[in-house]
């Protein structure tokens, strides 16, 4: 698979797999070891000619009832999520050569992990972490979703406009989240932001302070609303300073014109 025929999820270790489907519905099945999880393999495939992603149990777990139930539960949880920064789940069906799989939208882009490793971080990516990632995590908590910790590996930035997408987000839904669940999400956000800041050429002390507080057990943020307000308040201070300076200049200009 090359950049010419598939512009996303390029992996040095990708593996094309023969697929036997006389109906022609499925084609170009490709395993992506770069995206595998503990119990799951991740694939790309064409479904009726359109690229989608598959999440399926590894072969050693595929026939075990408890793991099949785990995959079905994740599908039920993720199918009800609808957020522009979370990869959409479309279906759950049998795929030749794979078995039962969660079918999701494909994402043309690169993981935050890869962008960090290849030193390709941009100001827009940092801004997406300040806005889109916070919005997505707040949405997840509003819907009482518990999940594996967010890491640079589970954050994708689309190839052309660098929009943020979370992959493999939810696997269970509760009637209410515990304080520990909320705290874990905030800590994982702080760790992601901190690692990005560690790999930027310039120092961003305001964001560093927010990242440190997100990971602080002594004086943590209570929830993502508090964190967002802190982020916005700090941004607003800069705007207010600019407006105050602009008004001062205008007043001086008016005074000068009147005095003449």
């Amino acid at each position: 698979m090359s950049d010419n025929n598939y512009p996303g999820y390029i992996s040095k270790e990708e593996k094309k797999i023969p697929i036997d489907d006389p109906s022609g519905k499925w084609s170009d099945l490709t395993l992506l070891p770069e995206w595998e999880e503990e119990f799951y393999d991740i694939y790309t495939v064409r479904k009726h000619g359109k690229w989608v992603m598959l999440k399926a149990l590894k072969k050693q777990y595929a026939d075990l009832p408890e793991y099949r139930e785990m995959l079905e539960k994740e599908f039920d949880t993720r199918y009800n999520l609808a957020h522009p920064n979370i990869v959409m789940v479309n279906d759950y069906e049998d795929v030749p050569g794979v078995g039962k799989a969660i079918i999701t939208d494909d994402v043309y882009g690169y993981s935050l992990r890869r962008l960090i490793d290849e030193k390709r971080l941009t100001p827009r990516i940092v801004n997406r972490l300040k806005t889109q990632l916070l919005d997505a995590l707040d949405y997840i908590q509003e819907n009482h979703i518990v999940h594996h910790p967010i890491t640079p590996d589970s954050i994708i930035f689309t190839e052309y406009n660098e929009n943020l997408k979370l992959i493999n987000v939810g696997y269970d839904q509760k009637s209410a989240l515990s304080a520990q669940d909320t705290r874990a999400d905030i800590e994982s956000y702080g760790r992601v932001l901190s690692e990005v800041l560690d790999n930027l050429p310039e120092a961003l002390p305001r964001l560093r302070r927010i990242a440190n507080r997100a990971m602080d057990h002594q004086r943590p943020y209570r929830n993502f609303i508090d964190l967002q307000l802190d982020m916005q308040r700090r941004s607003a201070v800069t705007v207010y300073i600019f407006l105050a300076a602009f008004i001062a200049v205008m007043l001086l200009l008016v005074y000068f014109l009147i005095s003449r």
Side-chain angles (χ1 to χ4, degrees), residues 179 182-191 194 207-223 227 230:
T182 300
R183 179 83 204 110
D185 271 354
I186 292 173
E187 281 189 30
S188 67
Y189 175 80
R191 286 194 295 270
S194 181
L207 286 183
R208 178 68 71 181
R209 184 195 65 79
I210 290 174
N212 288 342
R213 184 175 173 188
M215 297 184 291
D216 187 358
H217 291 269
Q218 302 301 319
R219 195 174 61 92
Y221 293 107
R222 293 175 301 172
N223 49 50
L227 200 162
D230 195 10

Side-chain angles (χ1 to χ4, degrees), residues 40-55:
Y40 305 108
D41 282 327
I42 308 298
Y43 304 81
T44 57
V45 68
R46 290 184 190 268
K47 179 183 179 182
H48 296 302
K50 177 184 176 181
W51 286 108
V52 295
M53 283 190 69
L54 309 179
K55 180 174 183 176

